[in-house]
Amino acid sequence: MAKLLSYPIVCMSVLFMLSAILISTGSVTEGLAIITVGPMLIFVLVYAMYDDLSGRVKKRRLAISRQFPNVVSKLALLMTSGMIMDRAWKETAYSQDSELYQEMRKTSQELDNLVSPEIAYSGLINRCNTKETAKLASAIMQNLSKGNSEIGRLLKEMAREAWLDRRHTAKRDAEKANSRLMIPTLLLFVAILLILLVPIAMNFSL
């Protein structure tokens, strides 16, 4: 975001300075060309940067959503086996090295540094910015005082829902992939028809 804000300001400043210098030295056409074409090039650059940033954010959120069923299932298993939430959270966070697990480690480190659970789990919600992690963190915060049995039950139900959502998502992705393949398949079919029909039509015309 800092780049998206700073690059246009710096580039426009340089453009105006360069254009002013050229105009003052008598190169009016070149100066006007720079001040006309330059902003369009800067806009293209900024849009490309924004598109890249949006793509990376979307990819990260998708990765976190895909990792969530495994995370909540492991938390539910550890909690129902008698482990306290802080220990179960740490065991799960350090079990893998993917995006969601890394964010869980930050939360675990904050809890070890005596940051209040409300602040630590709220930070996880803000960093991940997905509905799944928001639901998990909110449930933990609301049930910290109710004991392992209550939180374990909630986590098992959340794990079941997460796996169902993942199956539905996989099914939708498969349907989208099939629909995307329809157009290339039709184009290939049309091309084959043309290859077969054009020689036949030419022979009839002869």
Side-chain angles (χ1 to χ4, degrees):
M1 293 303 296
K3 289 181 179 179
L4 289 175
L5 293 174
S6 61
Y7 278 24
I9 296 173
V10 173
C11 291
M12 287 299 296
S13 301
V14 172
L15 283 179
F16 280 120
M17 290 176 58
L18 183 59
S19 178
I21 292 172
L22 290 173
I23 292 174
S24 63
T25 56
S27 302
V28 178
T29 304
E30 290 81 356
L32 293 176
I34 289 176
I35 204 64
T36 302
V37 179
M40 291 187 288
L41 296 176
I42 293 173
F43 174 78
V44 172
L45 172 64
V46 172
Y47 179 79
M49 292 171 58
Y50 174 78
D51 187 60
D52 177 65
L53 178 62
S54 299
R56 282 187 286 161
V57 170
K58 185 177 180 180
K59 184 178 179 181
R60 183 175 183 273
R61 287 178 181 168
L62 181 60
I64 289 174
S65 296
R66 287 177 175 172
Q67 295 155 21
F68 181 77
N70 288 322
V71 167
V72 72
S73 296
K74 187 165 186 177
L75 281 174
L77 178 63
L78 294 174
M79 290 294 296
T80 53
S81 66
M83 191 175 290
I84 63 172
M85 173 53 72
D86 287 356
R87 183 62 184 170
W89 187 272
K90 182 175 290 187
E91 287 285 338
T92 304
Y94 285 90
S95 62
Q96 293 190 35
D97 198 34
S98 303
E99 291 86 351
L100 180 53
Y101 296 88
Q102 292 174 4
E103 296 301 335
M104 292 177 67
R105 287 179 206 170
K106 295 177 183 178
T107 303
S108 179
Q109 292 166 2
E110 291 176 349
L111 293 172
D112 289 341
N113 292 329
L114 302 181
V115 175
S116 68
E118 290 77 12
I119 295 176
Y121 289 116
S122 296
L124 176 76
I125 294 173
N126 293 331
R127 292 193 304 271
C128 295
N129 196 20
T130 64
K131 62 179 182 179
E132 295 90 353
T133 51
K135 185 177 180 180
L136 172 62
S138 299
I140 292 174
M141 286 188 289
Q142 292 172 5
N143 292 276
L144 283 175
S145 61
K146 295 184 179 180
N148 283 11
S149 59
E150 182 69 19
I151 301 179
R153 184 185 63 80
L154 288 172
L155 290 176
K156 284 196 292 185
E157 179 64 22
M158 201 176 296
R160 187 185 68 82
E161 293 177 358
W163 284 111
L164 286 175
D165 288 342
R166 183 167 178 176
R167 281 196 287 269
H168 292 325
T169 301
K171 185 177 179 181
R172 288 195 299 268
D173 291 343
E175 291 173 352
K176 289 180 181 177
N178 290 332
S179 63
R180 291 193 192 102
L181 289 173
M182 286 295 295
I183 295 177
T185 303
L186 289 174
L187 292 175
L188 181 61
F189 178 71
V190 171
I192 293 173
L193 282 179
L194 290 175
I195 292 173
L196 294 175
L197 294 177
V198 167
I200 296 173
M202 291 178 65
N203 288 332
F204 276 119
S205 64
L206 294 176

